[in-house]
Amino acid sequence: SMTDRHFSLLLALIALIYGLGAHHIRIPFAYDPFGPKPLPLTLAAILLSLALILLFSPLRTPAHKPDRRPVLQLVTILVFYQVAWTFLGFLLATTISLYFLARLFHCSWMEGLMTSLVLSVTCYGLFHFILKIPLPLGALFSYSGG
């Protein structure tokens, strides 16, 4: 539909802006010979490719009006994650968000809970212990021993 075309043009524009921003990343010293550019440039290229595929795909007319509830639920989960990140911390915010995301994709409550817990703890361990990148524990769990 034309809405798909407009959306794909918007995605292509976002990809180009993101790619240009990534291209202009300059750091004075890097221990990595490639620097921080490859990941954002790769993401921009993937987004641009997918937007162009959507833009040039044949027009389809839906037989019925699509259900927009899953999209709204997904947006709600993403907004919650962004808002809850600093207050709840990485582990709790990620676990809750991944749980509701798993439920959105029709996982059982136990599959969603186990998957979200394992992924959250694994990612936290990877960032904190292996990559040495601290992730927030959350204002909810911070205390002053005064």
Side-chain angles (χ1 to χ4, degrees), residues 16-27 36-37 40-41:
L16 289 173
I17 292 170
Y18 185 74
L20 284 174
H23 182 67
H24 292 297
I25 293 175
R26 303 279 186 255
I27 55 171
K37 286 184 186 183
L41 285 175

Side-chain angles (χ1 to χ4, degrees), residues 24 30 44 85 141-142:
H24 292 297
W85 171 272
F141 301 107
S142 67

Side-chain angles (χ1 to χ4, degrees), residues 23-96:
H23 182 67
H24 292 297
I25 293 175
R26 303 279 186 255
I27 55 171
F29 173 79
Y31 55 87
D32 182 4
F34 296 109
K37 286 184 186 183
L39 179 64
L41 285 175
T42 303
L43 292 175
I46 291 170
L47 180 58
L48 182 60
S49 301
L50 293 174
L52 291 176
I53 289 170
L54 181 61
L55 180 64
F56 293 113
S57 65
L59 284 173
R60 298 174 311 281
T61 55
H64 58 85
K65 191 173 184 177
D67 185 13
R68 300 200 190 283
R69 284 178 294 168
V71 174
L72 293 175
Q73 290 170 341
L74 177 61
V75 169
T76 303
I77 292 168
L78 293 174
V79 168
F80 166 80
Y81 188 61
Q82 182 66 35
V83 171
W85 171 272
T86 54
F87 182 69
L88 296 178
F90 176 82
L91 283 171
L92 192 54
T94 303
T95 301
I96 292 169

